């Protein structure tokens, strides 16, 4: 068996290192493209929006905020109505703010209270038999 000379061994090592260098270069290009795409402003906005929407507390917060705003608006219209008196307008804005804040902070209690009221007025129609 013939032993390889140092020059042949170095040539083989150079070929192996060149192949490794080429493979790492390709991986680096792919990694660069992925990083470039993820750092584009539109993609950053999309990913941030998806994270915000999928956060567990956001949906409940939006519902509570909507309930608060709706309840504040209704309270203002019921208690003060539409008026031209500036003092009543200030009072209406104050009432709307207070009611909105309370309902927003206690959204779960308001939802259960509303469900109880709806259940009392709407009776389930489980037994729909007609008696003749």
């Amino acid at each position: 068996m013939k032993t390889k000379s140092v020059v042949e061994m170095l040539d083989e090592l150079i070929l192996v290192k060149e192949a490794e260098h080429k493979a790492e270069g390709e991986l680096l290009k792919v990694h660069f493209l992925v990083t470039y795409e993820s750092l584009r402003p539109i993609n950053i906005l999309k990913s941030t929006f998806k994270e915000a929407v999928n956060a567990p507390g956001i949906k409940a917060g939006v519902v509570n905020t909507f309930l608060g705003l709706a309840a504040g608006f209704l309270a203002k219209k019921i208690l003060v109505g539409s008026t031209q008196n500036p003092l009543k307008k200030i009072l209406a804005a104050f009432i709307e703010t207070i009611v909105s804040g309370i309902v927003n902070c206690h959204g779960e209690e308001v939802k259960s209270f509303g469900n109880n009221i709806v259940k009392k007025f709407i009776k389930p129609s489980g037994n729909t038999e007609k008696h003749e």
Side-chain angles (χ1 to χ4, degrees), residues 4-75:
K4 294 182 181 179
S5 70
V6 174
V7 175
E8 290 174 342
M9 288 174 41
L10 284 175
D11 285 341
E12 287 179 10
L13 186 59
I14 288 172
L15 290 175
V16 168
K17 289 297 179 181
E18 284 176 349
E20 287 178 2
H21 180 69
K22 186 176 179 181
E24 287 177 358
E26 292 297 320
L27 285 175
L28 186 61
K29 286 179 187 177
V30 169
H31 186 32
F32 174 76
L33 291 175
V34 168
T35 304
Y36 175 76
E37 282 298 313
S38 69
L39 291 178
R40 289 180 55 202
I42 189 71
N43 291 335
I44 291 173
L45 289 173
K46 284 180 184 178
S47 65
T48 304
F49 183 73
K50 285 180 184 176
E51 289 174 8
V53 168
N54 292 331
I58 296 293
K59 292 177 185 174
V62 168
V63 170
N64 288 347
T65 302
F66 176 74
L67 284 175
L69 291 173
F73 179 76
L74 285 173

